[in-house]
Amino acid sequence: MIEILAKLEAKRAEARAGGGPRRVEAQHAKGRLTARERLEILLDEDSFEELDMYVEHNASDFGMAEQRIPGDGVVTGSGTINGRLVFVFSQDFTVFGGSLSERHAGKICKIMDTAMRVGAPVIGLNDSGGARIQEGVASLGGYAEVFQRNVLASGVVPQISLVMGPCAGGAVYSPAMTDFIFMVKHSSYMFVTGPDVVKTVTGEKVSQEDLGGAGTHSTRSGVADMALENDVEALLATRDFFDFLPASNRSGVPERPTLDPADRLEPSLDTLVPAASNQPYDMRELIVKVADEGDFFELQPNHAANIVIGFGRIEGRTVGFVANQPTVLAGVLDINASKKAARFVRFCDAFEIPIVTFVDVPGFLPGVAQEHNGIIKHGAKLLFAYGEATVPKITVITRKAYGGAYDVMASKHLRGDLNYAWPTAEIAVMGAKGAVEIIFRKDAGDPEKIAERTREYEERFANPFVAASMGFIDEVIMPHSTRRRIALGLRKLRGKRLENPWKKHDNIPL
Ligand code: HXC
């Protein structure tokens, strides 16, 4: 018996050794941790339970019959993060470059299936040379099996991808279909075709980092939600982030005790909005002052920064914040901002996370490039996302809510539950200057008359009371009481039940 146990230990040790000390050293030399070291940081101490440790590939071509390494390039199982269950897979670059074989894919699929059955999130740590070249089409089939599960799990359990090394070719489409992507700076990249192919096909010369590094994807493309400095920072950020997420679409939001009083007043908010209506102010300040303990986890901070999205808590329960940002492009809605916020709103709705929206928006961005690139369809995404969302929706208009953007930003008409305005709110079809130029064009040559008309227009519309008189605003609130109002509102809305008409699924403008 002792001998048998010793054999098991030896087999385990063999699997844990991965591709051996030389390859582990090479991994470390690149500033990267190994698959198992990463899981040790991501998960609570001693919580990881590994499965399928002895799985080997089934290939024999190209000398593969002689090269078998237990685990086959991916470490899978489950563990906890701050006590909450999570299923994980971590690709092991030291074993066949973390490349995906049929059996490697089977291991990932197994934990995804289990996660969906039990209702727990999946976190994938990606570090892979892509399809296992020696296996050919069997590997492509493996990818497609994973893709299919990404689709089925979408909206059922949260899926997070950490990209911590190479991720290229069709392999990028698994992370792309998950809910959130975190990348490591100067160590990870994602592209459909690499720099060499790009050069051959289009003649463009571009480095790996510029084409698909963490910097590019967290600023220009918006593919990544966060770019972290190194493996450790990425894993620790994921732990913090995980605490905000519900376990599944049926679990409800996590709740944790807080010492921050729900009725905390913030007098400083009374002077947040500057006197001049074209002067910017930082909308993050409002979010941070409203959220429990100022704890706000912002996503995509450097992409489409004219809109801010992220998670916070009110009375210990997760809420999704969406806010126009006056410091960037005056908080205008453009293609990227619409897409960024729409996907976030849909995530919140899918997982029963209430949405708090702060509005200061001068409208949609005019321009040939915006129109030619489809602002109509992309702007409609955000409108659609808010309109279909059935979770509690609380909206606070702090200043401008002009034109179509007023409607889009979780207005009363899109089934906003509580629509508040600060006394500084201006709810109108457009700003006074533009409006007067159009409706009093005949007075254009008379600056005095124009100034008078502008004053008249401002007096009539540059306030929240016209909208409030129509019931489009439920209450005009003191800025300092915003947290108290939101907390009270969310408490009252906990029992909200609202269903959309039966349908197979909707047809959001893609
Ligand atoms: C099998 C692979 C592999 C792969 C790497 N290795 N990629 N084995 N299939 N796809 C092995 C190497 O042979 C090597 O084995 C070890 O992993 C480490 O690789 P290195 O090249 O030494 O590492 P590095 O210099 O860091 O370069 C990493 C790399 C490079 C840039 C990822 O390995 C590379 O270009 N690999 C091929 C990438 C690729 O073309 N994949 C197929 C893409 S198509 P030893 O034994 O020497 O340690 C695809 C389609 C998916 O993925 C479609 C889904 C629909």
Side-chain angles (χ1 to χ4, degrees), residues 93-316:
F93 193 83
T94 70
V95 178
F96 307 119
S99 58
L100 186 134
S101 68
E102 188 182 350
R103 292 270 167 87
H104 174 131
K107 287 179 66 173
I108 296 175
C109 291
K110 200 194 252 188
I111 64 122
M112 291 183 73
D113 288 339
T114 315
M116 275 187 269
R117 273 201 305 276
V118 306
V122 179
I123 301 180
L125 279 52
N126 296 263
D127 187 356
S128 164
R132 177 85 50 88
I133 294 166
Q134 297 89 331
E135 287 200 16
V137 72
S139 162
L140 300 187
Y143 266 118
E145 295 287 340
V146 176
F147 296 161
Q148 178 66 71
R149 281 161 182 81
N150 288 133
V151 174
L152 295 179
S154 181
V156 178
V157 293
Q159 302 178 76
I160 305 175
S161 299
L162 270 69
V163 180
M164 312 186 86
C167 184
V172 297
Y173 287 113
S174 175
M177 289 191 289
T178 62
D179 298 300
F180 303 102
I181 299 179
F182 290 6
M183 291 182 76
V184 181
K185 288 184 194 168
H186 309 294
S187 178
S188 66
Y189 54 83
M190 295 177 78
F191 34 67
V192 174
T193 52
D196 293 345
V197 179
V198 169
K199 187 158 168 260
T200 309
V201 176
T202 71
E204 294 161 298
K205 279 192 202 155
V206 62
S207 68
Q208 243 175 30
E209 189 64 24
D210 278 353
L211 186 62
T216 297
H217 285 314
S218 62
T219 55
R220 289 178 74 87
S221 76
V223 165
D225 292 277
M226 296 291 285
L228 288 313
E229 290 301 324
N230 52 48
D231 279 15
V232 175
E233 199 187 282
L235 294 159
L236 294 178
T238 307
R239 283 179 63 86
D240 286 346
F241 181 63
F242 185 82
D243 286 349
F244 288 99
L245 301 182
S248 76
N249 57 347
R250 292 175 190 275
S251 68
V253 294
E255 205 167 342
R256 72 173 193 193
T258 175
L259 295 173
D260 199 354
D263 60 358
R264 170 169 53 79
L265 301 180
E266 274 295 338
S268 62
L269 290 179
D270 290 342
T271 50
L272 181 67
V273 173
S277 88
N278 57 359
Q279 245 189 344
Y281 61 94
D282 186 0
M283 192 64 107
R284 281 188 94 258
E285 193 178 329
L286 172 57
I287 301 174
V288 166
K289 284 181 172 160
V290 162
D292 285 357
E293 289 127 24
D295 188 8
F296 174 53
F297 197 110
E298 185 175 355
L299 292 163
Q300 301 193 31
N302 300 316
H303 172 72
N306 37 330
I307 204 153
V308 178
I309 58 168
F311 295 113
R313 297 183 189 83
I314 302 280
E315 292 202 90

Side-chain angles (χ1 to χ4, degrees), residues 21 26 124 144 232 354 383 389 428 445 498 507:
V232 175
L383 173 60
L498 179 63
N507 189 14

Side-chain angles (χ1 to χ4, degrees), residues 402-457:
Y402 290 167
Y406 154 74
D407 280 341
V408 169
M409 294 302 298
S411 64
K412 196 78 201 158
H413 325 283
L414 299 182
R415 303 185 296 180
D417 294 294
L418 285 168
N419 290 71
Y420 293 127
W422 284 5
T424 41
E426 306 167 22
I427 305 163
V429 174
M430 59 176 68
K433 193 170 166 290
V436 168
E437 274 168 14
I438 293 170
I439 55 183
F440 297 108
R441 192 167 285 153
K442 61 178 179 357
D443 299 329
D446 186 343
E448 242 172 64
K449 247 191 185 164
I450 287 288
E452 173 60 23
R453 299 292 197 198
T454 306
R455 255 194 314 279
E456 253 174 56
Y457 186 93

Side-chain angles (χ1 to χ4, degrees), residues 336-356:
N336 286 344
S338 303
K339 287 187 341 192
K340 170 178 163 181
R343 188 156 162 77
F344 182 70
V345 165
R346 295 195 101 210
F347 178 84
C348 290
D349 189 49
F351 290 98
E352 299 295 344
I353 301 170
I355 301 164
V356 173

